[in-house]
Amino acid sequence: SVETGAVGNGGNITISSGDFSLTDGGTLAASTSGQGNAGNITIDVTGPVTIAGIKDGNPSAIFSFLGTGAVGTGGNITISSGDFSLSDGAQLNASTLGQGNAGSVSVRATNSVELVNGAIFSYVQAGGVGNGGNINITTGSFSLTDGAALIASTLGQGNAGSVSVRATNSVELVNAYIFSDVESTGVGNGGNINITTGSFSLTDDAALITSTLGQGNAGSVSVRATNSVELVNGNIFSTVQAGGVGNGGNININAATLSLKDSAQLVTAVRKASSDQPGGRGNAGNVTIDVTGPVTIAGIKDENPSAIFSSVETGAVGNGGNITISS
């Protein structure tokens, strides 16, 4: 760490081994609260990486951050392994609360990346001035379950990072989400969500979401699958929320087949006023579906239809987006 009042750069943390585990509130942290850059954290193992658990309220975690009052650049978190597991409240977190960009988080696993009630964060916190880092996942199979999340957000002055997932075989989200947004205090653009895989599924209220509640554009969502894209009671949203000033992002789906079932929805929208915020101001994004085989949209669950929407709601200001389907 570079402590408050110090001038200089932090050092790197590098671990090379056959396998690596971080449990019961164990942490790796590289930070700066002074004038200087935080170091990088690099994990390079041939076997599994396991990060799990919370103890006495403290999560097992890897942190890279610029603290309040810091002037510098956050370090990157880079993990290479055979398999990667993040569970039971554990987290990877790269953030800036000072003046400077946050670092990026990159996870590369030969076989699988699995998050079960764990999260990877990239934040520009309130008061921070700088851009958020990107979250990059590269693996064979990727799964998010049981409330797990990838989150890139800006609450300060700067752009949120983008989230990119490349999985050769499959990407599966079950009651989990990937999120990039401009919060109500944020001034900057939201990041994009890009998924490239063999097969993609969203189930049990899982979601991909880009939005703006502050001053800036929402990012776009792109899903490219060699085989199928399937949403069953899952959603993809890109919205300008109440109080937001900026344009919504586009939703693009490229696949062999697409199915939306049991109230699954693709939505671009400029939302109406809330109890304490005016209606959003900006254009809704386009929804573009390009598949070589069938597109199936079917069913209602809890009175919500499976659907594709692009809308400007009551009291909002802006244009709606186009819906284009090729199949």
Side-chain angles (χ1 to χ4, degrees):
S1 61
V2 180
E3 298 294 339
T4 302
V7 179
N9 295 324
N12 299 319
I13 297 172
T14 304
I15 294 175
S16 301
S17 64
D19 55 66
F20 177 74
S21 66
L22 196 66
T23 60
D24 291 341
T27 59
L28 303 179
S31 65
T32 177
S33 298
Q35 296 185 47
N37 301 327
N40 298 314
I41 299 175
T42 304
I43 311 296
D44 188 0
V45 304
T46 55
V49 169
T50 303
I51 305 174
I54 297 174
K55 186 172 183 179
D56 300 330
N58 297 311
S60 301
I62 299 178
F63 294 108
S64 173
F65 63 91
L66 273 72
T68 303
V71 179
T73 301
N76 298 317
I77 299 171
T78 305
I79 298 174
S80 300
S81 64
D83 295 279
F84 176 84
S85 174
L86 189 73
S87 62
D88 298 332
Q91 60 181 257
L92 308 180
N93 192 326
S95 299
T96 178
L97 294 82
Q99 296 183 46
N101 298 331
S104 294
V105 180
S106 298
V107 178
R108 181 183 295 271
T110 306
N111 301 315
S112 66
V113 172
E114 182 180 63
L115 277 68
V116 182
N117 188 28
I120 300 177
F121 299 106
S122 173
Y123 279 125
V124 181
Q125 298 281 14
V129 179
N131 295 324
N134 298 320
I135 298 173
N136 299 303
I137 309 290
T138 305
T139 188
S141 299
F142 176 72
S143 67
L144 286 179
T145 60
D146 193 21
L150 306 180
I151 301 174
S153 295
T154 179
L155 294 81
Q157 297 183 49
N159 300 326
S162 293
V163 180
S164 175
V165 178
R166 290 182 173 271
T168 308
N169 299 321
S170 62
V171 171
E172 180 182 30
L173 278 70
V174 181
N175 187 28
Y177 59 97
I178 300 175
F179 197 83
S180 182
D181 78 330
V182 182
E183 291 286 346
S184 59
T185 56
V187 179
N189 295 322
N192 300 317
I193 297 174
N194 297 304
I195 310 289
T196 305
T197 187
S199 300
F200 175 81
S201 68
L202 285 180
T203 60
D204 193 18
D205 288 322
L208 307 181
I209 301 171
T210 62
S211 66
T212 179
L213 296 80
Q215 298 182 49
N217 299 327
S220 293
V221 180
S222 173
V223 178
R224 291 181 174 272
T226 309
N227 301 311
S228 63
V229 171
E230 183 177 37
L231 281 66
V232 181
N233 188 27
N235 302 297
I236 300 177
F237 294 152
S238 184
T239 59
V240 181
Q241 296 289 101
V245 179
N247 295 323
N250 300 317
I251 297 174
N252 298 300
I253 309 289
N254 295 85
T257 65
L258 171 67
S259 63
L260 307 180
K261 299 177 181 179
D262 292 346
S263 77
Q265 296 184 350
L266 308 180
V267 176
T268 64
V270 186
R271 299 298 194 189
K272 64 183 179 182
S274 66
S275 59
D276 59 349
Q277 293 288 346
R281 299 176 65 88
N283 300 326
N286 299 316
V287 181
T288 304
I289 311 299
D290 187 0
V291 304
T292 54
V295 170
T296 304
I297 306 172
I300 296 174
K301 184 174 183 179
D302 300 329
E303 299 184 356
N304 295 311
S306 298
I308 301 176
F309 290 117
S310 185
S311 63
V312 180
E313 297 181 354
T314 303
V317 179
N319 297 317
N322 299 317
I323 298 171
T324 305
I325 300 174
S326 300
S327 65

